[in-house]
Amino acid sequence: MNRTELKDLLGALQEGRVSLDQALDRLQRLPFEDIGVAMIDHHRELRQGAPEVVFGEGKTIAQLEAIVARMQERGGNILVTRLDAAKGAALLARHPSGRFDPDGRTFTLVQKAVATAGRGTIAVVAAGTSDLPVAREAAVTARLLGHEVEELVDVGVAGLHRLFARAEVLRRAAVIIVVAGMEGALPSVVGGLVAAPVIAVPTSVGYGAAFGGVAALLGMLNSCAAGITVVNIDNGFGAAYAAHRINRGETP
């Protein structure tokens, strides 16, 4: 439930279109709902401006199906992240109107129109094609939160002319998410070119000395480009949520 839906409920109560008991029934289930395998935070959209997102990794198919089914009953939009092919296929079979993105490992179920939330475009820039799963997770998340997204893929420092050829995307973006593995240099390059906020996402892509993304993480944390924000390794969702808060046109 968001602020608009809560206002509608209180207005309906005031006008007599719903009874006091009906209103109480809806409100008592507002904060959270215990379904055994999870405690779903129905209050989050009202509190933070975006509904709860389900982290799929580590959950069984049965658990995911139970959580998504109960969330569907509430009529909101649903995002599940970090899904393998089997889990994505299972959710799609149960909810054929949803969408499973195998690149981003996400499942989305849109049940109501996504309201435009952004003051400008969010650019999602992936250094290499191998970074695409994390970049696509960020793009899917940002779009579901109501933002216009432009994606650039395979424009890393091994061939900077590819990035410069698409410089207009960077110039018009209000927020830029830069996803890179290996040594994690691309956010520093982008950060030195633009005035927009830059959110860096290290990925676990790389050979042995990349240490599963730690080398990229440290490189980004030590960037000499001022003001870069860094999220955790492979956390495309977290980067998109941060970009949402920066780019959001108004408070929730």
Side-chain angles (χ1 to χ4, degrees), residues 187-193 220 222-229:
S188 293
V189 173
V190 174
L193 295 174
M220 293 173 184
N222 286 286
S223 173
C224 62
I228 290 178
T229 298

Side-chain angles (χ1 to χ4, degrees), residues 28-45 47 51-55 59 63-64 66-68 70-71 74:
Q28 73 182 4
R29 292 182 287 116
L30 176 61
F32 63 87
E33 182 179 8
D34 187 350
I35 65 167
V37 299
M39 300 183 73
I40 302 173
D41 185 2
H42 296 303
H43 192 269
R44 191 168 304 182
E45 186 172 7
R47 192 172 69 248
E52 182 175 17
V53 172
V54 182
F55 183 73
K59 293 181 176 67
Q63 289 169 338
L64 288 169
I67 293 167
V68 172
R70 192 58 59 90
M71 293 177 74
R74 303 302 286 264

Side-chain angles (χ1 to χ4, degrees), residues 85-100:
K87 292 176 181 178
L91 288 177
L92 193 58
R94 288 286 298 270
H95 307 277
S97 60
R99 181 182 179 187
F100 173 57

Side-chain angles (χ1 to χ4, degrees), residues 121-126 150-152 155 160 162-178 186 189-198:
T121 300
I122 295 176
V124 179
V125 182
E150 292 192 79
E151 299 179 67
L152 297 181
V155 291
L160 276 178
R162 300 171 298 180
L163 178 67
F164 296 149
R166 302 294 305 279
E168 75 283 356
V169 174
L170 303 180
R171 286 194 293 266
R172 63 175 171 254
V175 186
I176 303 171
I177 297 170
V178 185
L186 187 60
V189 173
V190 174
L193 295 174
V194 301
V198 174

